[in-house]
Amino acid sequence: MSENIEIQGTKSFSIVYKKPNENDVGVEEEIIAAKYSAVESTVVDNGGTITQEFHGVLNGVAGDLSAEAMGALMEQDGIAYIEEDIPAYISIQNNSTWGQDRIDQHDSRNGYYSWKGNKAAGQGIDVASH
């Protein structure tokens, strides 16, 4: 869990629930709904807010937490982890070294990636997923 994080006021965090296991009683959707209810109550009762709910790959919520809410959540059994939300940036520059050169033209590689204003970028490239 997110230990050693100083919170003054509130900070934004993602709270991910533990996956239900064979010892949990009930339907998975009901178990997740109960976890949401417990997390929401803890967050709101301790001066925070829930801003988004996640379903699917991750089950959990995003919210603005106070130090009190963080402390109370860290004691809850159904939480897998709590992660501080921080901005992530990507910088796409010419001479990129991680494969973008190939996706902006069909016939060859020229050592540069150019998308802006290039309406043909990626045309003729086949993408498959499994």
Side-chain angles (χ1 to χ4, degrees), residues 16-20 28 32 53-60 80-81:
V16 178
Y17 310 143
K18 288 181 182 175
K19 293 183 179 188
E28 184 172 348
I32 291 169
E53 196 172 348
F54 306 113
H55 299 282
V57 174
L58 294 175
N59 290 305
Y81 59 90

Side-chain angles (χ1 to χ4, degrees), residues 2-130:
S2 299
E3 297 179 33
N4 303 322
I5 295 177
E6 285 189 36
I7 301 176
Q8 295 177 358
T10 61
K11 282 189 177 181
S12 182
F13 291 87
S14 293
I15 303 148
V16 178
Y17 310 143
K18 288 181 182 175
K19 293 183 179 188
N21 63 44
E22 66 275 356
N23 296 326
D24 291 329
V25 177
V27 178
E28 184 172 348
E29 290 81 16
E30 293 171 351
I31 295 167
I32 291 169
K35 288 179 183 181
Y36 172 80
S37 181
V39 167
E40 180 184 39
S41 294
T42 300
V43 170
V44 171
D45 291 350
N46 288 284
T49 58
I50 299 294
T51 57
Q52 189 173 3
E53 196 172 348
F54 306 113
H55 299 282
V57 174
L58 294 175
N59 290 305
V61 296
D64 297 324
L65 304 182
S66 64
E68 294 81 10
M70 172 65 84
L73 285 171
M74 291 178 72
E75 294 179 11
Q76 284 190 2
D77 186 38
I79 306 296
Y81 59 90
I82 302 171
E83 184 92 20
E84 184 175 2
D85 295 337
I86 57 172
Y89 302 95
I90 184 169
S91 176
I92 300 174
Q93 300 173 355
N94 287 341
N95 294 321
S96 152
T97 60
W98 46 286
Q100 288 187 307
D101 176 40
R102 185 64 189 102
I103 64 173
D104 70 342
Q105 67 271 336
H106 181 67
D107 296 332
S108 64
R109 295 186 346 197
N110 62 1
Y112 295 94
Y113 171 77
S114 176
W115 177 80
K116 190 172 184 178
N118 183 358
K119 296 190 191 276
Q123 281 186 343
I125 304 298
D126 294 324
V127 177
S129 65
H130 297 276

